């Protein structure tokens, strides 16, 4: 750090404050000042130990404090990173669902079920789900919130012929993919997701607590079973101020 | 089709129009009416042949016409799909670049280089690129357009220490990753991309031909080399009316 920004390390051995706490505080200030932005990778523990002139144990203790505070996170094999202030599910990268990603990141979410009824699918949805116009689909409308407020409005259309009785499931407690896989034994295989920015419609704006016309992240998805039948179509609108999608990509 | 929407197949053998042309026209009408939306997967060739009461060769000829017109596309091992009217690069899924994706889809693009200079990096960029504040980085600002108009504004910051002389490259002709890999022999390995919807700033709006405040798809990226050094940071703003990001995801 000294070499980097020309400051002396802020470690004083002549004050009663523990060295590891001084280091935590020094790092905390870098983050607060925006000098170390979200996703900044800290130097390795041995490098930090050398720079601060302390033992690796002291560095580890300083980092542990910041990890506990949620300012840093460690990724196995990749290092220690500054945490983003927005939630960042990896749903651009793998076919997980928002609820699975939230659970994996330890984010507590609440689900409100706004609609859960069998309907005749709109024609484009019927086509994408490979259904005759007279078929019935589940229309499931949910709002997902964290303690900060609503983060996503989800409209799902699910083939009811492969999941009879699905309209009676309590989706405040169960995830859609979980029910399809565990209750109905369906093997979800692939999905095609499309991402774009949209102006919030009055319905979306009101659900997410935004002004109508505000930018929202829009996802459209068709999910396929292992036997290649489409099983689900969804429209998802995400509050970009509260949640960013993220993807760790490989070149080859 | 007959079974699906209750119409008789629109094939008449008592008119002088070729059967395959009648089938193309019938499919074209389904697409134009929005009954078969983007990404709708057509039934297999044998199924279509049975439904229209014609040979597979006739079906193939009808589909070939629509593929040539750009209304359908065939994906090996997955079938024939209705094409999207917006361009859909898979950059949410793999670490390709817009220019590579455009080339792969046969989309002709034009690149305007608005800036290509060495600068001192802003502090957050310096941190993400693991550089001291006094280092120099390439600031590359490009606007990519298709025949429909601008689709993406790209701000890249590239470490100049690993690519000396990069400010003299003509980026109207060369892609950034291509130059880093081919000219400088760097091995690009991974990138972290974050996706969100933003309101267009005046600069972004003016570049993309949008109103200020209009929703734009925003991507932020840090790219790493094989030896784990960060090499490039970028901000990319995408015109969602002209280009959707897409991702084909696997459940396991």
């Amino acid at each position: 750090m000294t070499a980097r920004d020309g400051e002396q390390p802020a470690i004083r051995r002549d004050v009663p404050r523990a060295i590891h706490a001084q280091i935590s505080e020094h790092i905390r200030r870098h983050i607060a000042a925006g000098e170390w932005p979200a996703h900044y990778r800290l130097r390795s523990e041995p490098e930090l130990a050398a720079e601060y002139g302390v033992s690796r144990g002291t560095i580890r203790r300083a980092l542990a404090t910041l990890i506990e505070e949620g300012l840093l996170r460690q990724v196995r094999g990749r290092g220690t990173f500054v945490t983003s202030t927005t939630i960042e599910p990896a749903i651009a990268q793998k076919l997980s669902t928002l609820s699975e990603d939230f659970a994996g990141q330890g984010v507590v979410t609440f689900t409100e079920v706004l609609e859960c009824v069998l309907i005749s699918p709109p024609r484009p949805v019927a086509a994408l789900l490979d259904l005759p116009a007279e078929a019935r689909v589940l229309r499931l409308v949910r709002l997902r919130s964290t303690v900060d407020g609503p983060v996503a409005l989800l409209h799902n259309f699910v083939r009811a012929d492969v999941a009879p009785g699905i309209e009676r499931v309590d989706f405040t407690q169960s995830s859609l993919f979980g029910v399809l896989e565990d209750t109905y034994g369906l093997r979800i295989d692939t999905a095609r997701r499309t991402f774009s920015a949209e102006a919030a419609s009055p319905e979306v704006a009101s659900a997410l607590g935004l002004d109508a016309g505000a930018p929202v992240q829009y996802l459209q998805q068709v999910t396929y079973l292992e036997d290649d039948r489409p099983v689900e179509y969804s429209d998802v609108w995400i509050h970009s101020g509260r949640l960013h999608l993220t993807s760790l990509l490989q070149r080859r």
Side-chain angles (χ1 to χ4, degrees), chain A:
Chain A
M1 235 148 299
T2 13
R4 302 280 156 172
D5 48 16
E7 320 167 6
Q8 289 305 310
I11 305 307
R12 297 184 53 180
R13 292 178 190 275
D14 58 345
V15 297
R17 188 133 192 249
I19 304 291
H20 70 83
Q22 294 186 42
I23 295 174
S24 302
E25 179 54 26
H26 191 241
I27 294 176
R28 202 181 285 112
R29 280 207 307 269
H30 275 284
I31 297 172
E35 288 160 23
W36 291 3
H39 311 309
Y40 169 65
R41 185 175 53 193
L42 275 65
R43 253 167 283 289
S44 68
E45 289 175 8
E47 287 172 308
L48 290 172
E51 286 175 17
Y52 281 105
V54 300
S55 71
R56 275 189 72 171
T58 303
I59 290 296
R60 247 185 249 123
R61 195 150 166 207
L63 297 183
T65 303
L66 298 166
I67 289 166
E68 212 162 89
E69 291 172 5
L71 286 175
L72 298 180
R73 73 195 159 82
Q74 277 174 331
V75 182
R76 196 186 302 269
R78 290 189 53 81
T80 306
F81 293 84
V82 174
T83 309
S84 172
T85 48
T86 49
I87 313 162
E88 300 194 336
I91 63 171
Q93 184 180 4
K94 51 182 186 176
L95 182 43
S96 53
T97 62
L98 276 179
S99 58
E100 289 166 348
D101 255 65
F102 286 146
Q105 294 188 31
V107 176
V108 179
T109 58
F110 314 93
T111 303
E112 198 182 335
V113 175
L114 306 176
E115 223 180 302
C116 184
V117 290
L118 294 182
I119 62 159
S120 298
R123 277 194 91 143
V125 172
L128 288 172
L129 293 183
D130 205 13
L131 287 174
E134 67 275 15
R136 305 288 276 173
V137 297
L138 176 74
R139 178 177 149 92
L140 177 61
V141 178
R142 289 170 298 168
L143 184 64
R144 282 210 199 281
S145 304
T146 67
V147 288
D148 294 326
V151 293
L153 176 69
L154 302 93
H155 283 195
N156 304 84
F157 296 89
V158 186
R159 281 176 65 153
D161 58 331
V162 297
I166 193 168
E167 71 278 12
R168 292 188 296 274
V169 172
D170 176 6
F171 284 105
T172 58
Q173 301 304 323
S174 308
S175 83
L176 177 57
F177 275 25
V179 167
L180 293 175
E181 291 177 324
D182 302 338
T183 309
Y184 292 99
L186 298 170
R187 291 167 167 274
I188 293 171
D189 186 38
T190 54
R192 194 174 189 299
R193 282 197 179 132
T194 302
F195 305 80
S196 55
E198 272 196 358
S201 68
E203 181 208 348
V204 169
S206 142
L208 296 180
L210 293 166
D211 293 331
V216 285
Q217 178 74 54
Y218 169 61
L219 271 69
Q220 196 185 42
Q221 171 172 302
V222 184
T223 307
Y224 297 90
L225 298 176
E226 216 172 51
D227 63 12
D228 228 22
R229 281 179 299 172
V231 65
E232 182 256 356
Y233 168 88
S234 49
D235 297 302
V236 178
W237 294 271
I238 290 172
H239 188 311
S240 272
R242 298 194 176 128
L243 191 153
H244 290 173
L245 306 179
T246 186
S247 204
L248 188 65
L249 301 154
Q250 299 282 335
R251 180 69 171 156
R252 331 226 153 252

